[in-house]
């Protein structure tokens, strides 16, 4: 196949917020698949807060994206040519194909998706990494029990919307913390949360006292910073704090702000445990089957925020996550 493959590469390591100059836009000939490989054309690109961490040259759970490399991203591609026994022309495949219009793959870490079961973008959200994060974070790390009180921050995002809905269908009381009245209205109106707190305008500590009068059994933290500190003051005995992410700290130039109220863990005999979803990779099929069932019977609503554009729109779209401009899973649909 002839043509141009437009790509987004990391030009320099960002300091603080990611800027347009941190990227280069490159063009290459469309690659040719070799023996046992397939060529895919990118249809949907996933935007994830973790991407900010991948740009820093620091030890983490994945190596940093190298300078000059195509930006790492999960995406859905359509197979255009294949010499791979498992992937045929026309298949839609999810994998880590990067921010580029075309990619060649040997199929490792790639999975064919069933567009009859769910929209392709949903395999990047509710049935993809964020859905797995919510499922294993809440049920395994959070060890959720029926009747408990669950509080989730970043509640109107990809992971948060799933956490709250899974907790509801497990018979828990769910309080979401999110930015702005519109997002709070989605949580309580559309997604069945029992209460929502707007951390931008409300006193979170006071609001938690009102909405979680018996204390928080599971606090699922996506944001860190002052919201985490406020939640720690309301823990119930033997509470579990699930350390999923800390987006409020990802663009910090100096030291990360840790929780000053951590002695609440001692007083409440609570635990705080971090996790990385990839550790559960072998169990994704189990979670995906259960989540697909809940989505299929309407007990879980899929919230997605699709932006239409080209790979050149990737940098600006990534910034939306840090300004809170998405509700649900943020995906760039290539037009
Ligand atoms: P979201 O869809 O939740 O998008 C990010 C949201 O974060 C924004 O919409 C915004 O919502 C909120 N936010 C941005 N800046 C701030 C801030 N300064 N303070 C408080 N909230 C802020 O993203 P995901 O659902 O994909 O990810 C949620 C979290 O889960 C992230 O921390 C991510 O790193 C983590 N994660 C961890 C994984 C793991 O394996 N541990 C795997 C996947 C995700 P609002 O308008 O409400 O502020």
């Amino acid at each position: 196949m002839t043509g141009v493959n437009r790509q987004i590469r990391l030009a320099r390591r960002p300091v603080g917020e990611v800027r347009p100059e941190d990227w280069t836009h490159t063009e290459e000939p469309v690659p040719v698949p070799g023996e046992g490989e397939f060529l895919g054309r990118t249809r949907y690109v996933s935007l994830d807060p973790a991407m900010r961490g991948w740009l820093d040259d620091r030890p983490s759970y994945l190596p940093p994206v190298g300078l000059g490399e195509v930006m790492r991203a999960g995406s859905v591609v359509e197979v255009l040519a294949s010499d791979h026994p498992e992937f045929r022309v026309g298949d839609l495949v999810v994998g880590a194909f990067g921010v580029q219009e075309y990619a060649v793959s040997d199929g490792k870490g790639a999975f064919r998706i069933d567009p009859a079961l769910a929209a392709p973008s949903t395999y990047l959200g509710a049935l993809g990494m964020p859905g797995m994060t919510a499922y294993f974070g809440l049920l395994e790390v959070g060890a959720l029990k029926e009747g408990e009180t669950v509080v989730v921050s970043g509640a109107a995002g990809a992971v948060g919307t799933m956490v709250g809905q899974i907790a509801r269908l497990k018979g828990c009381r769910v309080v979401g913390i999110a930015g702005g009245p519109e997002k709070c209205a989605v949580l309580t109106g559309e997604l069945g949360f029992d209460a929502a707190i707007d951390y931008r305008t409300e006193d979170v500590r006071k609001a938690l006292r009102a909405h979680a009068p018996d204390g928080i059994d599971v606090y699922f933290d996506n944001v860190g910073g002052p919201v985490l500190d406020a939640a720690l003051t309301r823990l119930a005995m033997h509470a579990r704090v699930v350390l999923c992410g800390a987006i409020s700290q990802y663009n910090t130039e100096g030291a990360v702000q840790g929780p000053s109220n951590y002695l609440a863990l001692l007083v409440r005999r609570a635990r705080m445990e971090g996790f990385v979803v990839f550790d559960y990779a072998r169990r994704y099929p189990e979670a995906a089957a259960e989540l697909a069932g809940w989505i299929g019977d309407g007990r879980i609503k899929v919230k997605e925020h699709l932006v239409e554009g080209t790979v050149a729109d990737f940098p600006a779209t990534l910034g939306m996550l840090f300004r809170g401009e998405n509700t649900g899973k943020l995906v760039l649909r290539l037009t």
Side-chain angles (χ1 to χ4, degrees), residues 124-183:
L124 298 173
L127 290 178
M129 199 262 286
M132 302 298 133
T133 302
Y135 184 94
F136 291 110
L138 189 61
L139 303 180
E140 296 288 326
V141 186
L144 185 73
K145 291 191 272 302
E146 191 183 336
E148 290 191 320
T149 296
V150 176
V151 174
V152 55
S153 59
V159 174
T161 51
M162 295 297 288
V163 168
Q165 293 186 88
I166 296 169
R168 275 297 292 150
L169 69 80
K170 293 285 180 186
C172 292
R173 173 172 174 78
V174 181
V175 181
I177 305 176
E182 293 83 8
K183 288 191 181 187

Side-chain angles (χ1 to χ4, degrees), residues 11-53:
R12 64 177 196 190
R13 302 224 172 267
V15 179
E17 273 176 42
V18 184
R19 289 169 220 286
E21 310 86 78
D22 299 329
W23 307 101
T24 43
H25 299 230
T26 54
E27 292 187 1
E28 280 186 351
V30 173
V32 179
E35 213 182 302
E37 293 181 333
F38 66 85
L39 170 71
R41 179 173 180 177
T42 309
R43 297 293 185 199
Y44 298 86
V45 179
S46 178
L47 287 302
D48 296 281
M51 287 171 159
R52 179 63 191 83

Side-chain angles (χ1 to χ4, degrees), residues 251-289:
N251 285 329
T252 306
E253 287 180 41
V256 161
Q257 184 194 334
S260 58
N261 291 330
Y262 76 97
L263 284 179
L265 297 168
L266 182 159
V267 175
R268 296 290 170 192
R269 287 76 152 175
R271 71 175 162 83
M272 181 162 168
E273 185 175 339
F275 78 106
V276 173
V277 67
F278 303 141
D279 296 345
Y280 293 91
R282 277 194 298 129
R283 293 179 57 196
Y284 286 174
E286 166 199 328

Side-chain angles (χ1 to χ4, degrees), residues 47-50 61 129-130 133 154-160 177-180 183 199-200 220-224 227 243-250 275-278 320-330:
L47 287 302
D48 296 281
Y61 58 93
M129 199 262 286
T133 302
V159 174
I177 305 176
K183 288 191 181 187
Y199 75 92
R200 291 186 205 272
F220 194 107
D221 191 31
N222 287 315
V223 307
V227 173
L243 189 48
C244 176
I247 192 167
S248 73
Q249 304 300 307
Y250 293 173
F275 78 106
V276 173
V277 67
F278 303 141
M320 291 174 64
L321 291 172
F322 297 90
R323 294 188 297 272
E325 289 170 3
N326 63 307
T327 301
K329 173 64 197 167
L330 184 62

Side-chain angles (χ1 to χ4, degrees), residues 57-281:
D57 192 8
R58 286 199 196 122
S60 188
Y61 58 93
L62 282 179
V65 175
L67 290 176
E69 279 179 15
V70 171
M71 178 57 191
R72 180 188 296 145
S75 59
V76 173
V77 302
E78 180 185 343
V79 177
L80 298 186
S82 179
D83 183 52
H84 194 289
E86 282 171 39
F87 300 100
R88 295 199 197 95
V89 171
D91 281 350
L92 291 172
V93 179
V94 66
F97 302 113
V99 187
Q100 53 184 343
E101 289 179 334
Y102 297 89
V104 157
S105 167
D106 61 7
K108 280 201 195 91
F111 301 92
R112 191 175 37 248
I113 65 173
D114 181 359
L117 194 64
S121 50
T122 303
Y123 290 88
L124 298 173
L127 290 178
M129 199 262 286
M132 302 298 133
T133 302
Y135 184 94
F136 291 110
L138 189 61
L139 303 180
E140 296 288 326
V141 186
L144 185 73
K145 291 191 272 302
E146 191 183 336
E148 290 191 320
T149 296
V150 176
V151 174
V152 55
S153 59
V159 174
T161 51
M162 295 297 288
V163 168
Q165 293 186 88
I166 296 169
R168 275 297 292 150
L169 69 80
K170 293 285 180 186
C172 292
R173 173 172 174 78
V174 181
V175 181
I177 305 176
E182 293 83 8
K183 288 191 181 187
C184 289
V186 168
L187 297 180
T188 51
E190 221 181 289
L191 303 181
F193 284 51
D194 296 286
I197 299 168
D198 176 0
Y199 75 92
R200 291 186 205 272
T201 57
E202 290 183 62
D203 177 336
V204 177
R205 227 164 135 156
K206 216 160 131 192
L208 283 172
R209 210 174 304 141
H211 295 306
D214 300 326
I216 303 168
D217 297 298
V218 176
Y219 174 56
F220 194 107
D221 191 31
N222 287 315
V223 307
V227 173
L228 167 61
D229 241 339
L232 288 177
T233 64
R234 292 299 307 159
L235 295 184
M237 284 294 274
H238 305 294
R240 284 83 69 203
V241 177
V242 181
L243 189 48
C244 176
I247 192 167
S248 73
Q249 304 300 307
Y250 293 173
N251 285 329
T252 306
E253 287 180 41
V256 161
Q257 184 194 334
S260 58
N261 291 330
Y262 76 97
L263 284 179
L265 297 168
L266 182 159
V267 175
R268 296 290 170 192
R269 287 76 152 175
R271 71 175 162 83
M272 181 162 168
E273 185 175 339
F275 78 106
V276 173
V277 67
F278 303 141
D279 296 345
Y280 293 91

